[in-house]
Amino acid sequence: MPGDVTGTTLRSMTQIPSPAEELRLLDAELRQLDARRTVLLTRRAWLMHALRPPVWTPPPAPATRRPEATAPGVQNVLLLLGGILLTIAAVAFTLVGWGHLGITGRSLVLGTVTLAALGAPVLLLRRGLRSTAESLAGLGLALTVLDAYALYAVALPRTDGLGYTAMASAVLAAVWAAYGLAVGAVHRTTEARTAATDRGRQAAGTGVRVPLRLPLPAAVVAAQFPLLLWAVAAAAGAHAITAALLVTAAFDAVLALRMPPKSVRVVAAAGAYGLGGWGTFAAGWLSWTAAGPSAAARAAALLLLAASIALTAAWGAPKPGVATGTATAGGLITVVAFGGVLRTSLPGEWTVPGHLACGIALLAVVRTGLPEPVRRGVALASGCVQALAVAWALPVVVITLLGPVGLVHPVWSGAPATARDAVAGDLPWPPDAGTAPLVLALVAAVLIVAVRAAEWRPRALVCALTLTWATVFVLPATLELPYLVGLSAHGLTTVALLVYARRTQPQPAPLVLALLTSLSLAFLALASEPATLTVLAALTALFAAAALRPGPGPVAAPASLGYATALACATGTSLGWQPQHIALLVLVVPVVAALSAARVDDVPTRVSVEVTGAVAGLVAVALTVTDPAMLATVLALCGVIAAGTAVREDRRPVGYAATALFVMAAWVRLAAWGVGSPEAYTLPVTVPALLVGALRRRRDTAVSSWTAYAPGLSVTLVPSLLAAWGDAYWQRPLLLGAAALAVTLLGARHRLQAPLVLGGSVLALDALHELAPYIVQVVDALPRWMPPALAGLVLLALGATYEQRIRDARRVREVLGRMG
């Protein structure tokens, strides 16, 4: 700066802002420009919209309603109603207005109208009006029925009604069929001529490709009545009427299989199923009610006719499912036919075996060259017959299996004379059941011989084994063999099944059947004391030997222990022991189970053995419920067995059960001695619980004192505290206070929360109990105004303390504020 510039001149000069100030000013100006630009753009958009010419939008076209009915549907309804109305008018004319014309006029009217109705469809078909042609054709068919009625009413009034109806239905069926075929022939001729004159175009413009669909099905319907009505009119009897039904069904089956039009096939199939089923049931009823072989043979002939119709229809059926079902029906009808003859020729107990033999004979068809669906259906029919035969023999098996359970109540009442007396008892034996073993054996043989497919062979063998077992199982009772022979048969069956089970280990069926047989044998042996002891001992040894193999082990081992338990009870009862003394003998079973489980490597067998041993221990405990002293002994022995099991590495948790058994044994013993002090019951629990808690805390330092020590301390301290509050003497509170003080000091010494809290709480409550009389005396000595005054002083002191704390908090907040 030059030296001649004065201070006044410097103060009057404009100051240049600093760069920071200049940047702030520029930012402010830019923000104002952005705001102004936004306003201008908004205004411009509004002006553009205001200056734009309006665009006319046409209103939306109204939604067109779709017609609810199609044109062909409306056409068919109108034609159907028109045909029905014309038919009703024709009926009314025939029945009501018939007498106003002479014989010539009547014939001419009906004949003319009928010919016109039947001839018009030909012309309509040429013009392509097929629906109208169908309606008029239906009217013409109805008029032919009226013509037949008019002929009967005028010319043949004295003719038998059923006979004339049969003749008329036959004539109408022939006429309608001929009419339908003739119209079809004319239609095909017209189509051929049209195709020849106008080649390159289809004949749809001048005619239709298919003839009338109504006359031929109507002819099939009319053909259902002639034979049946003729048989009824001639009073031919039930056999002739059934034959008429079956012959008509055969005719329908031929039509259903051979006629090309689908409508004819559908109507014919319905007639074949309906009349065929009706005729078959009628023939079956005739066979069931046949009094002799001749009547049964006539019914069998009808049934064989029905069976031949079914099998022939199955042979020609286009669908495999229909063929199989029809062939199955045919096979069953064949069995009923021959079985009905055998039923009237053989005794009553051979009825089911006779039908079964017929069903087995059907399997010969399976080896023939018939189509596969037919052979499958016949085989299915044979299987149905065999299943029904087994179901007929099933009640005998059930009674033989469950009947011996009734011997539990009158145990050792004396050996019955026969096996049936031991099995059935008061239950009624099924009638005509003497051939039940034969039925079961035949079905088993068929399963072994006939079923060869690899996928069905294992199942068939299992079923055959079950049926063979059932045969041998029911044979002694069915033949009324002696009681000892029945026991021996059951025993040998059990042995055979166990031997077979060892050879076929993957199959559980032999083992299950052996177990069922042994249970029935054990119940059967309850009728006699020597038989009971012998059978139970034999079953125990037998299943113990079977359990040596790993396959039958999970079932055989517990079965052996179960029978050993029953043997122990039976032996004690035979010796005249009391139940509480028998329990000591039963405890041998848990001991054997524990020792055996330690030597078994198979896990399922080991588990089943241990569970059975535990159940045997429960049985021993149940036998000593009425004797507390013996109950304590048994519980202690069970605890010893459980403790021995817990020695094994994989059965450590059983130690808890052993501890519980020992505690319960001590409690029962104390109760038997009449001890009423709760400490005698709780201390045996507290000491082991505290030891276990200490060991757990030593192994895992993260375990809290509440988990380790609280349960054991609570078991003794809480009951003792409750007892001390109701005790009038000073010894219990003193001992409890000393124990609580010791627990509190130990908790304080080792800084354990659970002993400190529990011990301190019990000590305070015990001291309060001791000071309670004195507190009551002091309260009684004070004036009545003293308690409210003391309460007021306490509240004032609390309020002042609360206010002081609030003031201190405010001071702290102010200091912190000044620091910020």
Side-chain angles (χ1 to χ4, degrees), residues 11-345:
R11 283 191 295 269
S12 61
M13 294 178 61
T14 303
Q15 296 183 0
I16 300 175
S18 64
E21 181 67 18
E22 185 177 1
L23 180 61
R24 185 182 63 78
L25 294 175
L26 290 176
D27 290 338
E29 290 292 338
L30 289 174
R31 283 195 295 270
Q32 292 178 2
L33 290 175
D34 289 338
R36 182 60 178 169
R37 185 175 183 276
T38 302
V39 172
L40 294 175
L41 289 175
T42 304
R43 181 63 179 174
R44 181 179 181 277
W46 182 85
L47 292 173
M48 293 286 292
H49 179 73
L51 295 174
R52 184 178 301 167
V55 180
W56 178 81
T57 303
T64 58
R65 291 187 177 180
R66 298 183 60 184
E68 296 182 357
T70 61
V74 174
Q75 164 195 307
N76 293 333
V77 170
L78 293 177
L79 291 174
L80 178 62
L81 290 176
I84 292 174
L85 292 176
L86 289 176
T87 304
I88 293 173
V91 172
F93 172 76
T94 304
L95 298 178
V96 179
W98 186 253
H100 298 289
L101 298 175
I103 183 65
T104 305
R106 303 174 213 171
S107 303
L108 289 175
V109 169
L110 273 180
T112 302
V113 174
T114 302
L115 291 176
L118 294 176
V122 179
L123 300 176
L124 294 173
L125 286 175
R126 291 179 180 178
R127 296 183 176 273
L129 302 176
R130 188 173 62 86
S131 298
T132 307
E134 292 282 0
S135 299
L136 290 179
L139 176 62
L141 298 180
L143 289 175
T144 56
V145 177
L146 295 178
D147 289 337
Y149 173 74
L151 180 62
Y152 173 76
V154 174
L156 304 170
R158 296 183 180 180
T159 306
D160 179 57
L162 285 177
Y164 179 79
T165 305
M167 180 63 69
S169 60
V171 173
L172 288 175
V175 170
W176 292 350
Y179 172 71
L181 295 175
V183 173
V186 173
H187 163 66
R188 286 190 295 272
T189 303
T190 303
E191 274 195 336
R193 291 176 180 176
T194 304
T197 58
D198 192 11
R199 292 185 179 181
R201 294 190 303 166
Q202 295 183 352
T206 57
V208 282
R209 292 182 174 275
V210 293
L212 294 176
R213 292 181 294 182
L214 186 60
L216 292 181
V220 175
V221 173
Q224 308 301 309
F225 303 102
L227 291 179
L228 178 61
L229 295 178
W230 271 329
V232 175
H239 291 80
I241 294 174
T242 304
L245 291 172
L246 293 175
V247 171
T248 306
F251 173 73
D252 291 335
V254 173
L255 293 180
L257 295 174
R258 299 300 179 185
M259 291 299 291
K262 184 177 180 181
S263 57
V264 176
R265 294 200 307 268
V266 171
V267 175
Y273 280 114
L275 295 182
W278 185 8
T280 301
F281 280 113
W285 177 257
L286 292 174
S287 176
W288 181 258
T289 57
S294 60
R298 288 187 293 168
L302 296 174
L303 288 171
L304 290 176
L305 175 60
S308 62
I309 295 171
L311 293 174
T312 305
W315 197 335
K319 296 182 178 180
V322 176
T324 301
T326 309
T328 302
L332 293 175
I333 295 170
T334 303
V335 172
V336 174
F338 289 103
V341 176
L342 294 177
R343 181 184 60 83
T344 57
S345 305

Side-chain angles (χ1 to χ4, degrees), residues 520-532:
S520 178
L521 176 61
F523 282 111
L524 276 176
L526 293 177
S528 172
E529 180 180 348
T532 301

